[in-house]
Amino acid sequence: MIDKQSQVPIYHQIEEHIKAKIENGEYQPGDALPSEREYAEQLNVSRMTVRQAITNLVNEHYLKRIKGRGTFITERKFEQHLNGLTSFTEDMKVRGMKPSNKLVHFEIVPATTEISEQLHIAAHTPVYEIKRIRLAENIPMALERTYIPANLMKGLTDDIVQHSIYQYVEEELALKLGKARQIFEATLANEEESTLLEIPEESPILSITRITKLVDGTIFEVVQSAYRADQYKFILDLDR
Ligand code: GLP
Protein backbone atom coordinates (compact mmCIF):
# COMPACT_ATOMS: atom_id res chain seq x y z
CA MET A 1 0.00 0.00 0.00
CA ILE A 2 3.06 2.27 0.04
CA ASP A 3 3.81 3.53 -3.45
CA LYS A 4 7.51 4.36 -3.61
CA GLN A 5 7.15 5.80 -7.12
CA SER A 6 4.48 8.25 -6.00
CA GLN A 7 5.14 11.98 -5.72
CA VAL A 8 3.48 11.83 -2.31
CA PRO A 9 6.25 11.54 0.31
CA ILE A 10 6.40 8.12 1.93
CA TYR A 11 6.01 9.50 5.45
CA HIS A 12 2.80 11.16 4.30
CA GLN A 13 1.51 7.89 2.86
CA ILE A 14 2.23 6.21 6.22
CA GLU A 15 0.34 8.96 8.01
CA GLU A 16 -2.67 8.40 5.75
CA HIS A 17 -2.40 4.64 6.30
CA ILE A 18 -2.49 5.07 10.11
CA LYS A 19 -5.28 7.67 9.96
CA ALA A 20 -7.39 5.33 7.82
CA LYS A 21 -7.01 2.59 10.43
CA ILE A 22 -8.11 5.01 13.16
CA GLU A 23 -11.07 6.15 11.10
CA ASN A 24 -12.28 2.67 10.18
CA GLY A 25 -12.04 1.59 13.82
CA GLU A 26 -9.27 -0.96 13.35
CA TYR A 27 -7.24 1.12 15.81
CA GLN A 28 -9.35 2.08 18.81
CA PRO A 29 -8.73 5.04 21.16
CA GLY A 30 -6.28 3.96 23.85
CA ASP A 31 -4.77 1.13 21.74
CA ALA A 32 -0.99 0.91 21.51
CA LEU A 33 0.40 1.59 18.06
CA PRO A 34 2.67 -1.14 16.61
CA SER A 35 6.34 -0.25 17.07
CA GLU A 36 8.37 1.73 14.54
CA ARG A 37 10.32 -1.43 13.80
CA GLU A 38 7.16 -3.44 13.05
CA TYR A 39 5.89 -0.73 10.70
CA ALA A 40 9.24 -0.38 8.99
CA GLU A 41 9.36 -4.13 8.33
CA GLN A 42 5.74 -4.46 7.34
CA LEU A 43 5.83 -1.51 4.92
CA ASN A 44 9.41 -2.06 3.84
CA VAL A 45 10.50 1.48 4.64
CA SER A 46 13.14 2.93 6.95
CA ARG A 47 12.46 3.46 10.65
CA MET A 48 13.35 7.12 10.21
CA THR A 49 10.48 7.53 7.77
CA VAL A 50 8.06 5.79 10.13
CA ARG A 51 9.27 8.01 12.97
CA GLN A 52 8.63 11.12 10.89
CA ALA A 53 5.06 9.98 10.16
CA ILE A 54 4.39 9.16 13.81
CA THR A 55 5.83 12.48 14.99
CA ASN A 56 3.52 14.33 12.61
CA LEU A 57 0.51 12.40 13.88
CA VAL A 58 1.52 13.13 17.48
CA ASN A 59 1.72 16.83 16.60
CA GLU A 60 -1.75 16.61 15.06
CA HIS A 61 -3.05 14.83 18.22
CA TYR A 62 -4.04 11.60 16.44
CA LEU A 63 -1.43 9.81 18.54
CA LYS A 64 0.21 10.43 21.88
CA ARG A 65 3.56 9.30 23.18
CA ILE A 66 3.76 8.21 26.79
CA LYS A 67 7.27 8.15 28.20
CA GLY A 68 8.55 4.65 28.76
CA ARG A 69 5.34 3.04 27.51
CA GLY A 70 5.02 3.72 23.80
CA THR A 71 2.69 5.46 21.37
CA PHE A 72 -1.08 5.26 21.69
CA ILE A 73 -4.17 6.22 19.72
CA THR A 74 -5.58 9.40 21.26
CA GLU A 75 -8.92 9.11 23.04
CA ARG A 76 -11.70 10.80 21.13
CA LYS A 77 -12.77 13.99 22.81
CA PHE A 78 -16.29 14.71 23.79
CA GLU A 79 -17.69 17.44 21.51
CA GLN A 80 -19.85 19.97 23.27
CA HIS A 81 -21.77 22.44 21.12
CA LEU A 82 -22.29 25.75 22.84
CA ASN A 83 -25.58 26.65 21.24
CA GLY A 84 -28.02 26.31 24.09
CA LEU A 85 -28.41 26.44 27.83
CA THR A 86 -28.23 22.74 28.51
CA SER A 87 -27.35 20.73 31.59
CA PHE A 88 -24.64 18.14 31.96
CA THR A 89 -27.31 15.45 32.33
CA GLU A 90 -28.96 16.50 29.06
CA ASP A 91 -25.63 16.77 27.22
CA MET A 92 -24.73 13.21 28.12
CA LYS A 93 -28.16 11.75 27.40
CA VAL A 94 -28.25 13.32 23.92
CA ARG A 95 -25.12 11.33 23.16
CA GLY A 96 -26.49 8.13 24.59
CA MET A 97 -24.03 8.25 27.49
CA LYS A 98 -24.94 7.52 31.08
CA PRO A 99 -24.41 10.56 33.34
CA SER A 100 -23.72 10.21 37.04
CA ASN A 101 -22.50 12.39 39.87
CA LYS A 102 -20.28 11.91 42.88
CA LEU A 103 -21.22 14.39 45.54
CA VAL A 104 -18.11 15.74 47.23
CA HIS A 105 -19.64 18.50 49.30
CA PHE A 106 -23.12 19.88 50.02
CA GLU A 107 -23.71 22.62 52.56
CA ILE A 108 -25.41 25.95 53.17
CA VAL A 109 -22.72 28.59 53.75
CA PRO A 110 -22.62 32.42 53.93
CA ALA A 111 -21.75 33.75 50.46
CA THR A 112 -18.22 35.03 50.08
CA THR A 113 -17.72 38.51 48.63
CA GLU A 114 -16.88 37.08 45.22
CA ILE A 115 -19.89 34.75 45.05
CA SER A 116 -22.30 37.35 46.45
CA GLU A 117 -21.16 39.85 43.79
CA GLN A 118 -21.69 37.28 41.05
CA LEU A 119 -25.11 36.30 42.40
CA HIS A 120 -26.08 39.97 43.02
CA ILE A 121 -26.94 39.29 46.66
CA ALA A 122 -25.65 40.81 49.89
CA ALA A 123 -22.43 39.36 51.27
CA HIS A 124 -22.98 36.51 53.77
CA THR A 125 -26.44 35.64 52.40
CA PRO A 126 -26.91 31.88 52.80
CA VAL A 127 -26.12 29.95 49.62
CA TYR A 128 -25.94 26.28 48.78
CA GLU A 129 -22.38 25.26 48.04
CA ILE A 130 -22.45 22.05 46.02
CA LYS A 131 -19.38 20.28 44.73
CA ARG A 132 -19.94 17.41 42.32
CA ILE A 133 -17.77 15.22 40.14
CA ARG A 134 -19.66 14.80 36.87
CA LEU A 135 -19.12 11.49 35.17
CA ALA A 136 -20.03 10.01 31.80
CA GLU A 137 -20.03 6.22 31.64
CA ASN A 138 -18.21 6.38 34.99
CA ILE A 139 -15.34 8.48 33.61
CA PRO A 140 -14.85 11.79 35.48
CA MET A 141 -15.40 14.65 33.02
CA ALA A 142 -15.64 17.72 35.21
CA LEU A 143 -15.59 18.98 38.76
CA GLU A 144 -18.31 21.54 39.42
CA ARG A 145 -18.81 23.93 42.29
CA THR A 146 -22.32 25.35 42.22
CA TYR A 147 -23.61 28.25 44.31
CA ILE A 148 -27.36 28.86 44.52
CA PRO A 149 -29.09 31.34 46.87
CA ALA A 150 -30.70 29.17 49.57
CA ASN A 151 -33.98 31.11 49.49
CA LEU A 152 -34.45 30.33 45.77
CA MET A 153 -34.27 26.59 46.23
CA LYS A 154 -35.76 25.73 49.58
CA GLY A 155 -35.58 22.07 50.43
CA LEU A 156 -32.73 21.14 48.14
CA THR A 157 -31.31 17.81 49.33
CA ASP A 158 -28.14 15.88 48.64
CA ASP A 159 -30.28 13.27 46.94
CA ILE A 160 -31.61 15.84 44.44
CA VAL A 161 -28.18 17.22 43.56
CA GLN A 162 -26.91 13.71 42.89
CA HIS A 163 -29.24 13.91 39.89
CA SER A 164 -30.05 16.89 37.66
CA ILE A 165 -30.36 20.31 39.28
CA TYR A 166 -31.92 21.79 36.11
CA GLN A 167 -34.54 19.05 35.99
CA TYR A 168 -35.45 19.71 39.63
CA VAL A 169 -35.66 23.47 39.07
CA GLU A 170 -37.86 23.17 35.99
CA GLU A 171 -39.99 20.15 36.80
CA GLU A 172 -40.38 20.27 40.58
CA LEU A 173 -40.06 23.99 41.32
CA ALA A 174 -41.60 25.05 37.99
CA LEU A 175 -39.04 27.85 37.62
CA LYS A 176 -38.00 28.87 34.12
CA LEU A 177 -34.32 29.15 33.26
CA GLY A 178 -33.55 32.12 31.05
CA LYS A 179 -30.10 33.15 29.91
CA ALA A 180 -26.58 32.34 31.00
CA ARG A 181 -23.16 33.83 30.52
CA GLN A 182 -20.25 31.45 30.21
CA ILE A 183 -16.62 32.48 30.71
CA PHE A 184 -13.78 30.23 29.53
CA GLU A 185 -10.25 30.14 30.86
CA ALA A 186 -7.35 27.74 30.45
CA THR A 187 -5.87 26.53 33.74
CA LEU A 188 -3.86 23.65 35.16
CA ALA A 189 -5.34 21.05 37.48
CA ASN A 190 -4.65 21.79 41.13
CA GLU A 191 -4.20 19.02 43.68
CA GLU A 192 -7.91 18.58 44.39
CA GLU A 193 -8.90 18.65 40.71
CA SER A 194 -6.25 16.16 39.72
CA THR A 195 -7.25 13.76 42.51
CA LEU A 196 -10.99 13.97 41.90
CA LEU A 197 -10.73 13.97 38.10
CA GLU A 198 -8.14 11.16 38.16
CA ILE A 199 -5.57 13.05 36.08
CA PRO A 200 -1.96 14.01 36.80
CA GLU A 201 -1.46 17.25 38.70
CA GLU A 202 -1.07 20.30 36.42
CA SER A 203 -2.94 18.62 33.54
CA PRO A 204 -4.69 21.10 31.24
CA ILE A 205 -8.15 22.13 32.37
CA LEU A 206 -10.88 24.16 30.69
CA SER A 207 -12.25 26.30 33.47
CA ILE A 208 -15.75 27.53 32.84
CA THR A 209 -17.80 29.89 34.95
CA ARG A 210 -21.52 29.93 34.17
CA ILE A 211 -23.84 32.54 35.62
CA THR A 212 -27.45 31.60 34.95
CA LYS A 213 -30.57 33.74 35.26
CA LEU A 214 -34.19 32.77 35.55
CA VAL A 215 -36.49 34.31 32.90
CA ASP A 216 -37.43 37.07 35.37
CA GLY A 217 -33.75 38.09 35.55
CA THR A 218 -33.00 36.67 39.01
CA ILE A 219 -29.53 35.14 39.10
CA PHE A 220 -30.06 31.54 40.03
CA GLU A 221 -26.62 29.95 39.98
CA VAL A 222 -22.92 30.58 39.72
CA VAL A 223 -21.06 27.48 38.63
CA GLN A 224 -17.31 27.05 38.47
CA SER A 225 -16.48 24.01 36.39
CA ALA A 226 -13.16 22.35 35.71
CA TYR A 227 -13.46 20.25 32.57
CA ARG A 228 -10.77 17.75 31.63
CA ALA A 229 -9.08 19.17 28.54
CA ASP A 230 -8.17 15.65 27.41
CA GLN A 231 -11.85 14.69 27.29
CA TYR A 232 -13.58 17.80 26.03
CA LYS A 233 -13.69 20.15 23.10
CA PHE A 234 -16.18 22.97 22.76
CA ILE A 235 -17.71 23.97 19.46
CA LEU A 236 -19.38 27.27 18.68
CA ASP A 237 -20.81 28.10 15.25
CA LEU A 238 -20.31 31.70 14.25
CA ASP A 239 -22.36 33.70 11.74
CA ARG A 240 -21.30 36.74 9.83
C1 GLP B 1 -23.61 21.97 33.26
C2 GLP B 1 -23.20 23.41 33.51
C3 GLP B 1 -23.55 23.86 34.92
C4 GLP B 1 -24.98 23.50 35.28
C5 GLP B 1 -25.18 22.02 35.10
C6 GLP B 1 -26.57 21.53 35.46
O1 GLP B 1 -22.71 21.08 33.84
N1 GLP B 1 -21.78 23.62 33.28
O2 GLP B 1 -23.37 25.26 34.97
O3 GLP B 1 -25.23 23.84 36.63
O4 GLP B 1 -24.92 21.68 33.75
O5 GLP B 1 -26.53 20.14 35.32
P1 GLP B 1 -27.56 19.12 35.94
O6 GLP B 1 -28.94 19.59 35.62
O7 GLP B 1 -27.23 17.83 35.24
O8 GLP B 1 -27.34 19.05 37.42
Side-chain angles (χ1 to χ4, degrees), residues 86-89 132 134 144 163-166 210 221 223 225 227:
T86 54
S87 72
F88 182 83
T89 306
R132 301 182 288 173
R134 320 255 15 209
E144 290 196 326
H163 299 93
S164 167
I165 294 182
Y166 281 12
R210 182 185 284 186
E221 65 169 1
V223 185
S225 310
Y227 282 82

Side-chain angles (χ1 to χ4, degrees), residues 3-237:
D3 179 357
K4 291 193 174 163
Q5 312 309 326
S6 163
Q7 304 232 317
V8 180
I10 295 176
Y11 70 83
H12 190 72
Q13 294 184 46
I14 301 171
E15 284 174 40
E16 293 304 310
H17 169 78
I18 297 175
K19 275 193 208 166
K21 284 187 188 265
I22 296 173
E23 264 143 41
N24 72 21
E26 196 176 320
Y27 291 165
Q28 290 289 325
D31 281 356
L33 195 73
S35 69
E36 285 174 12
R37 187 178 46 77
E38 281 172 72
Y39 266 123
E41 281 170 12
Q42 189 196 330
L43 302 173
N44 193 22
V45 296
S46 78
R47 277 180 67 166
M48 278 281 289
T49 312
V50 174
R51 187 169 309 152
Q52 166 90 64
I54 292 176
T55 301
N56 290 348
L57 291 176
V58 168
N59 291 339
E60 290 172 42
H61 303 295
Y62 283 94
L63 304 175
K64 62 177 174 203
R65 285 201 178 102
I66 303 180
K67 253 206 180 126
R69 288 187 46 210
T71 307
F72 297 84
I73 315 300
T74 310
E75 306 286 340
R76 239 169 257 134
K77 287 191 185 178
F78 188 88
E79 295 187 355
Q80 172 70 50
H81 286 265
L82 291 169
N83 305 336
L85 179 52
T86 54
S87 72
F88 182 83
T89 306
E90 290 164 340
D91 294 340
M92 294 305 134
K93 285 190 176 160
V94 163
R95 283 164 185 81
M97 297 175 96
K98 196 173 130 289
S100 57
N101 297 303
K102 270 190 207 156
L103 188 57
V104 180
H105 178 86
F106 177 75
E107 201 183 359
I108 294 184
V109 296
T112 61
T113 314
E114 188 197 355
I115 294 298
S116 59
E117 279 170 7
Q118 288 174 318
L119 284 170
H120 289 189
I121 54 177
H124 312 305
T125 307
V127 291
Y128 288 103
E129 182 178 60
I130 305 155
K131 194 183 288 181
R132 301 182 288 173
I133 308 170
R134 320 255 15 209
L135 306 97
E137 304 293 344
N138 294 322
I139 299 171
M141 293 282 163
L143 178 65
E144 290 196 326
R145 299 172 189 84
T146 305
Y147 296 90
I148 300 174
N151 67 352
L152 273 185
M153 278 252 242
K154 290 200 179 79
L156 196 64
T157 63
D158 51 0
D159 189 46
I160 294 165
V161 302
Q162 306 241 30
H163 299 93
S164 167
I165 294 182
Y166 281 12
Q167 190 179 350
Y168 180 74
V169 169
E170 293 181 321
E171 293 179 10
E172 301 297 326
L173 302 181
L175 295 171
K176 283 205 170 22
L177 298 178
K179 288 176 185 293
R181 164 172 288 182
Q182 214 158 263
I183 301 154
F184 291 79
E185 280 169 89
T187 57
L188 300 176
N190 60 25
E191 202 182 327
E192 182 190 41
E193 289 162 347
S194 63
T195 308
L196 297 177
L197 294 174
E198 299 170 20
I199 49 175
E201 212 170 307
E202 305 220 318
S203 299
I205 289 284
L206 288 157
S207 288
I208 301 180
T209 305
R210 182 185 284 186
I211 301 173
T212 313
K213 290 179 178 169
L214 300 175
V215 278
D216 69 4
T218 312
I219 300 179
F220 138 78
E221 65 169 1
V222 169
V223 185
Q224 296 160 350
S225 310
Y227 282 82
R228 281 175 57 166
D230 64 334
Q231 292 286 350
Y232 255 87
K233 58 169 109 168
F234 292 91
I235 301 172
L236 181 56
D237 294 316

